[in-house]
């Protein structure tokens, strides 16, 4: 009957034709289903940047080439965190198994000192470590990207800068989310409270930032084209003269000129002397999966492995996702790992970090003995563990997998949204406020509410402790999951929960990322959970065990992942539905 009509038959053929294409590539989505692609996937917090990465892969670039182009593109299209003026970590695993952790974290300038943010009475001067020129660490991003290219890239630096240059010069359409953040002081959704001013208030303190990003109050509307001519010039200089231009050329001079004018302390020598560090990735295992992650000055890798080691001793799978008993165990584990973070962790170039002890299985089983299955431990009662005795000797993320199986997990940051708020005059990019990640004063919380220790105190040349946790998981020795997130200290718990969701609860990468999350960081002694994340019954059950809850629920993290389907070898992209413009793209 149906096929008697030729028109219907033709339509049927057309539909069949399109359906037969679908299994090979689902180029873009943000849904419960991951994006799937046969060759390569880029998951990032910005749709345009993800597409830039895929274009590089299609041109024959590898995952590292794509990572460099994505990082530079994000510096244009995602100014809240994408950056030239910040720093971060890039974890690379090549298809042949070679693994490298590139540390391009900012460092404290030569004139920085332990008490630089204290007044005469020894009190922390409010916002001094987080707003303006004194908050800026020596940026590492450009040097980090250069190093990644030298070690593993295959394309020309100029060609990798080109997409970012074009986006800055020709502009890109302002998204609904970007228009909202630049014109108000709120996010579209309630986020974890950080106690810093919103973007409009922050950026309006600095005339150059106000002019470029807020258009002096004539705020960008959705769909308008945002062009950044000064940033385009900076990218053009970087393109023509190479990455060292940032540290030795006109760009360096522009940074230093602004520093001198506005009471900053970064000098030309500081910039010339900046060096990224190649580190050995940290390794652990969880229920037979191998965990490869970031070593110090990230606290994330150590805390992640410590927590996985503790949780491995419990059958989370049969306790069930979001059950009170499972969540109790995870909260107790987080509390303990964050207590250790505060005590032991800092830049390994300056302090001895008991890495092996903290990530040892014996240490974890010792710690788990202190966990009461029925009762929350008060954080005040928790003293950091005896990690040294187990030591036998001692904020936007993107994930990329290419067609050969090379993988990059990159988290980099300006620290707070829009960093210090200050844009380099004539160079068009924002500077970080990473100095706030140091301990300004022991016992006084930073912008993320972290109480930190002496190991993370300020010293010239030192890297502030970070929570960024770019991570790669292997199954049977093969690439399985590439993951990371922004979110300050919540990063570590976000990465933890995504891994638990995949391994223990059998979720795909998109489900694992979208599933509701919670966070505990030892101090303050409160559990934060996401809106609608915990039922009232669950909260009651956990309160009965003695857990204390934050009165405010906020969304946690913006995770970006790629998973390999072991059966088909397809790349599955998961992009956080918490990120308004976050997308996975593939081909
Ligand atoms: O390195 C760190 O731990 C922080 N500077 C990260 C900040 C961050 O994730 C902000 N994102 N929401």
């Amino acid at each position: 009957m149906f096929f008697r009509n030729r028109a219907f038959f033709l339509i049927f053929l057309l539909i069949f034709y399109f359906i037969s294409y679908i299994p090979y590539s689902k180029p873009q989505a943000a849904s419960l289903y991951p994006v799937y692609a046969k060759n390569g996937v880029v998951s990032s917090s910005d749709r345009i940047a993800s597409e830039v990465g895929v274009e590089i892969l299609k041109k024959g670039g590898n995952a590292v080439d794509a990572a460099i182009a994505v990082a530079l593109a994000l510096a244009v299209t995602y100014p809240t965190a994408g950056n030239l003026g910040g720093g971060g970590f890039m974890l690379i695993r090549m298809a042949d198994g070679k693994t490298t952790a590139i540390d391009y974290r900012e460092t404290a300038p030569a004139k920085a000192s332990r008490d630089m943010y204290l007044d005469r009475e020894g009190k922390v001067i409010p916002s001094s470590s987080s707003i303006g020129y004194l908050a800026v660490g020596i940026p590492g991003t450009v040097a980090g990207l250069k190093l990644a290219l030298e070690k593993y890239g295959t394309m020309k630096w100029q060609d990798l800068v080109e997409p970012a240059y074009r986006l800055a010069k020709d502009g890109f359409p302002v998204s609904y989310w970007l228009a909202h953040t630049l014109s108000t002081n709120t996010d579209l959704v309630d986020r974890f409270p950080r106690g810093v001013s919103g973007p409009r208030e922050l950026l309006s303190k600095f005339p150059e930032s106000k002019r470029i990003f807020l258009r002096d109050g004539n705020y960008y509307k959705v769909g308008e084209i945002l062009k950044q001519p000064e940033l385009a010039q900076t990218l053009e200089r970087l393109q023509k003269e190479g990455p060292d231009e940032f540290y030795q050329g006109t760009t360096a001079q522009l940074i230093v000129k602004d520093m001198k004018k506005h009471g900053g302390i970064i000098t030309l020598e500081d910039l010339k002397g900046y060096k990224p560090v190649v580190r050995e990735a940290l390794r652990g295992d969880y229920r037979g999966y191998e965990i490869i992650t970031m070593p110090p000055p990230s606290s994330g890798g150590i805390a992640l492995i410590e927590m996985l080691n503790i949780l491995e001793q419990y059958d989370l799978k049969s306790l069930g996702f979001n059950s009170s008993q499972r969540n109790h165990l995870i909260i107790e584990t987080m509390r303990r790992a964050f207590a250790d973070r505060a005590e032991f962790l800092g830049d390994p170039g300056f302090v001895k970090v008991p890495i092996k002890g903290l990530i040892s299985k014996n240490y974890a089983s010792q710690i788990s003995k202190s966990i009461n299955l029925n009762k929350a431990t008060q954080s005040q009662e928790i003293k950091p563990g005896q990690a040294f005795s187990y030591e036998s000797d001692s904020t936007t993320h993107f994930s990329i997998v290419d067609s050969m199986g090379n993988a990059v997990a990159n988290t980099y940051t300006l620290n707070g949204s829009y960093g210090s708020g200050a844009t380099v005059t004539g160079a068009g990019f924002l500077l970080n406020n990473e100095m706030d990640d140091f301990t300004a004063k022991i016992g006084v919380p930073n912008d993320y509410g972290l109480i930190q220790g002496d190991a993370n105190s300020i010293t010239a040349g030192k890297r502030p402790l970070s929570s960024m946790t770019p991570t790669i998981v292997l199954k049977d020795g093969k690439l399985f999951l590439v993951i990371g997130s922004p979110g300050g200290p919540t990063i570590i718990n976000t990465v933890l929960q995504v891994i638990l969701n995949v391994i223990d609860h059998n979720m795909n990468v998109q489900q694992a990322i979208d599933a509701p999350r919670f966070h505990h960081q030892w101090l303050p002694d409160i559990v934060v959970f996401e809106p609608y994340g915990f039922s009232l019954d669950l909260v009651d059950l956990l309160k009965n065990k003695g857990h204390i809850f934050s009165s405010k629920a906020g969304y946690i993290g913006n995770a970006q992942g790629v998973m390999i389907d072991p059966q088909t070898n397809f790349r599955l992209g998961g992009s956080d539905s918490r990120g308004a413009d976050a997308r996975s793209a593939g081909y």
Side-chain angles (χ1 to χ4, degrees):
M1 280 273 287
F2 183 73
F3 294 130
R4 263 184 225 150
N5 183 325
R6 278 179 61 196
F8 273 122
F9 183 54
L10 278 175
I11 290 169
F12 173 79
L13 270 184
L14 269 175
I15 292 172
F16 182 76
Y17 178 75
F18 279 118
I19 287 178
S20 64
Y21 254 98
I22 290 172
Y24 294 102
S25 172
K26 184 172 171 234
Q28 271 208 12
S31 75
L32 215 51
Y33 290 96
V35 161
Y36 47 90
K38 221 172 162 49
N39 297 296
V41 163
V42 179
S43 298
S44 89
S45 49
D46 182 69
R47 177 184 62 79
I48 300 172
S50 295
E51 284 167 1
V52 162
V54 169
E55 282 313 307
I56 295 292
L57 294 179
K58 280 185 182 166
K59 281 187 182 150
N62 67 12
V64 176
D65 295 317
I68 294 161
V70 170
L72 292 167
L74 284 167
V76 181
T77 59
Y78 195 71
T80 172
N83 66 80
L84 299 179
F89 303 134
M90 187 185 286
L91 184 65
I92 302 171
R93 182 182 185 272
M94 300 305 281
D96 64 4
K98 238 182 254 142
T99 303
T100 304
I102 297 184
D103 165 3
Y104 58 97
R105 181 78 164 158
E106 301 91 326
T107 53
K111 289 199 189 107
S113 60
R114 188 185 170 94
D115 296 337
M116 64 187 278
Y117 298 116
L118 305 186
D119 65 14
R120 272 197 222 133
E121 282 143 37
K123 290 204 193 92
V124 176
I125 304 163
S127 303
S128 57
S129 63
S130 53
I131 297 181
Y133 297 86
L134 210 52
V136 185
I138 303 166
T141 296
V142 177
L145 300 181
K146 174 189 170 192
L147 183 60
L149 181 63
E150 281 168 2
K151 275 187 85 67
Y152 293 115
T154 64
M155 287 178 62
K156 286 206 190 94
W157 168 255
Q158 288 85 331
D159 296 339
L160 299 174
V161 182
E162 181 66 17
Y165 166 68
R166 290 252 72 97
L167 285 164
K169 183 165 187 290
D170 303 339
F172 63 93
V174 170
S175 69
Y176 179 72
W177 171 80
L178 187 58
H180 181 93
T181 30
L182 290 178
S183 60
T184 68
N185 266 325
T186 58
D187 204 335
L188 283 170
V189 289
D190 246 343
R191 295 229 164 232
F192 187 59
R194 295 190 359 223
V196 289
S197 50
R200 194 179 76 182
E201 192 186 318
L202 175 69
L203 295 171
S204 60
K205 292 183 202 297
F206 302 91
E208 192 72 350
S209 305
K210 191 175 171 196
R211 178 177 68 77
I212 294 174
F213 298 107
L214 308 180
R215 212 166 42 185
D216 285 324
N218 174 22
Y219 300 118
Y220 280 98
K221 293 182 195 62
V222 182
E224 263 192 279
I225 301 298
L226 170 57
K227 293 184 185 174
Q228 299 173 73
E230 292 89 349
L231 180 56
Q233 281 170 14
T234 299
L235 289 162
E236 194 176 18
R237 283 194 304 274
L238 288 176
Q239 215 174 9
K240 289 198 173 131
E241 296 169 42
D244 290 343
E245 193 281 334
F246 188 91
Y247 297 93
Q248 294 171 21
T250 307
T251 307
Q253 279 159 11
L254 290 170
I255 296 173
V256 172
K257 197 170 156 201
D258 253 11
M259 285 286 155
K260 281 192 182 142
K261 198 165 161 198
H262 300 286
I265 55 175
I266 293 182
T267 62
L268 270 179
E269 287 67 40
D270 281 332
L271 289 167
K272 271 189 197 146
Y274 180 82
K275 285 200 173 45
V277 180
V278 173
R279 300 190 187 276
E280 198 178 317
L282 209 61
R283 286 173 192 263
D285 59 82
Y286 180 67
R287 302 195 204 282
Y289 291 77
E290 193 175 344
I291 312 292
I292 306 174
T293 186
M294 194 68 206
S298 169
S299 61
I302 289 186
L304 175 69
I305 295 178
E306 180 179 344
M307 290 194 285
L308 288 170
N309 284 343
I310 297 171
L311 290 168
E312 199 176 36
Q313 298 169 60
Y314 306 97
D315 187 357
L316 298 187
K317 186 178 182 155
S318 47
L319 290 174
F321 178 76
N322 233 9
S323 68
S324 63
Q325 197 56 31
R326 167 195 181 267
N327 289 4
H328 168 70
L329 288 168
I330 296 174
I331 294 164
E332 290 304 294
T333 299
M334 290 172 174
R335 186 197 306 281
R336 283 158 176 79
F338 272 82
D340 281 347
R341 177 195 191 280
E343 175 69 14
F344 296 117
L345 299 189
D347 181 343
F350 288 76
V351 289
K352 185 155 167 55
V353 182
I355 302 179
K356 285 192 184 154
L358 288 168
I359 64 171
S360 82
K361 299 272 183 198
N362 286 343
Y363 182 60
S365 65
Q366 202 59 32
I367 296 237
S368 63
K369 283 187 191 139
S370 73
I371 296 180
N372 182 326
L373 295 181
N374 301 312
K375 196 169 165 287
T377 313
Q378 302 292 295
S379 281
Q380 295 297 350
E381 288 168 23
I382 295 186
K383 297 284 167 280
Q386 293 296 311
F388 276 106
S389 62
Y390 288 85
E391 184 77 352
S392 45
D393 37 14
S394 226
T395 320
T396 178
H397 178 86
F398 55 83
S399 295
I400 303 180
V401 177
D402 66 21
S403 61
M404 291 154 284
N406 302 311
V408 172
N410 185 91
T411 318
Y412 76 151
T413 183
L414 287 169
N415 188 27
S417 280
Y418 301 96
S420 64
T423 299
V424 179
T425 312
F429 61 86
L430 283 153
L431 291 164
N432 69 81
N433 60 342
E434 222 69 56
M435 293 296 284
D436 187 65
D437 275 349
F438 277 120
T439 310
K441 185 177 177 177
I442 293 171
V444 176
N446 74 351
D447 267 355
Y448 294 102
L450 284 169
I451 310 269
Q452 312 199 77
D454 196 35
N456 189 30
S457 60
I458 308 171
T459 307
K462 190 173 173 184
R463 288 161 146 83
L465 185 61
S466 171
S467 299
M468 292 184 287
T469 316
T471 297
I472 292 174
V473 180
L474 310 183
K475 186 182 187 186
D476 304 324
K478 292 200 190 103
L479 184 67
F480 178 61
L481 176 69
V482 186
I483 189 71
S485 175
T490 69
I491 293 172
I492 313 172
N493 291 334
T494 293
V495 172
L496 172 75
Q497 287 168 84
V498 173
I499 292 176
L500 298 178
N501 291 345
V502 168
I503 296 180
D504 289 304
H505 304 296
N506 213 23
M507 295 185 197
N508 75 43
V509 66
Q510 187 65 51
Q511 290 170 305
I513 285 173
D514 280 348
R517 298 196 268 263
F518 54 92
H519 174 73
H520 194 293
Q521 61 180 46
W522 176 49
L523 293 175
D525 189 352
I526 47 169
V527 182
V528 183
F529 63 89
E530 296 191 305
Y532 321 109
F534 280 16
S535 67
L536 288 178
D537 323 40
L538 174 58
V539 173
D540 277 349
L541 286 166
L542 288 167
K543 276 188 179 165
N544 286 343
K545 287 184 188 289
H547 293 285
I548 305 159
F549 284 88
S550 163
S551 55
K552 200 167 183 302
Y555 287 98
I556 296 170
N558 182 355
Q560 305 297 325
V562 182
M563 194 171 166
I564 309 289
D565 176 347
Q567 259 106 47
T568 62
N569 217 22
F570 264 64
R571 283 86 173 96
L572 310 178
S575 230
D576 211 320
S577 61
R578 295 163 184 83
D581 293 333
R583 291 290 185 283
S584 297
Y587 79 110

